[in-house]
Amino acid sequence: MKLFRKIDTTTGNFLEDVLFESHPFLMETVLVDVTDEEGTITQVEEFQPLLDAEGNPQLDPQYVEEAPPQGLYLPRYLNGVWVEGGTAPEPITSQPTVEDRLAMAEMAILDLMME
């Protein structure tokens, strides 16, 4: 099994890690004539790899073998390269509320009284 990264082919955004035996191919639906034992011909939908001009199966561009480098917050795969797709949000530093400050003051006074 090989680990592939599934990406959104429109935006390049990383979606998820997936496991496959080999790189997936683009598939197309083809109608195939099937003859049963009585000689009746019926058409059945069959999935076949989509072929390029030379007759080779086309690899599905939605799956990439290359891992994104460590440290990217929102990895994107664009033009064959992993790039940063966003910025990490700034940590929210909130000021203590009046109630929090009063509770801290009470604790400090109680600590001083206990010494």
Side-chain angles (χ1 to χ4, degrees):
M1 295 295 255
K2 288 185 179 180
L3 179 64
F4 292 88
R5 278 65 186 184
K6 184 176 181 181
I7 60 169
D8 181 325
T9 55
T10 305
T11 63
N13 289 339
F14 168 80
L15 299 175
E16 64 182 339
D17 287 328
V18 292
L19 290 172
F20 291 114
E21 289 291 331
S22 62
H23 199 292
F25 297 113
L26 288 175
M27 302 297 281
E28 64 180 338
T29 305
V30 179
L31 292 176
V32 178
D33 291 337
V34 176
T35 306
D36 63 13
E37 296 171 357
E38 299 171 359
T40 307
I41 299 174
T42 56
Q43 286 192 330
V44 177
E45 286 185 354
E46 187 177 285
F47 292 104
Q48 295 180 352
L50 188 62
L51 305 178
D52 61 14
E54 289 85 38
N56 300 316
Q58 293 183 26
L59 297 178
D60 191 338
Q62 189 175 17
Y63 299 98
V64 177
E65 287 186 63
E66 172 182 343
Q70 294 293 320
L72 295 181
Y73 175 71
L74 182 64
R76 292 178 71 192
Y77 194 74
L78 298 175
N79 301 321
V81 179
W82 286 104
V83 296
E84 179 60 69
T87 56
E90 293 293 324
I92 298 172
T93 56
S94 60
Q95 298 294 326
T97 63
V98 173
E99 291 81 14
D100 292 338
R101 292 175 56 198
L102 180 58
M104 288 187 284
E106 288 175 346
M107 291 300 293
I109 292 171
L110 288 173
D111 284 345
L112 288 172
M113 290 175 59
M114 296 294 180
E115 289 180 5

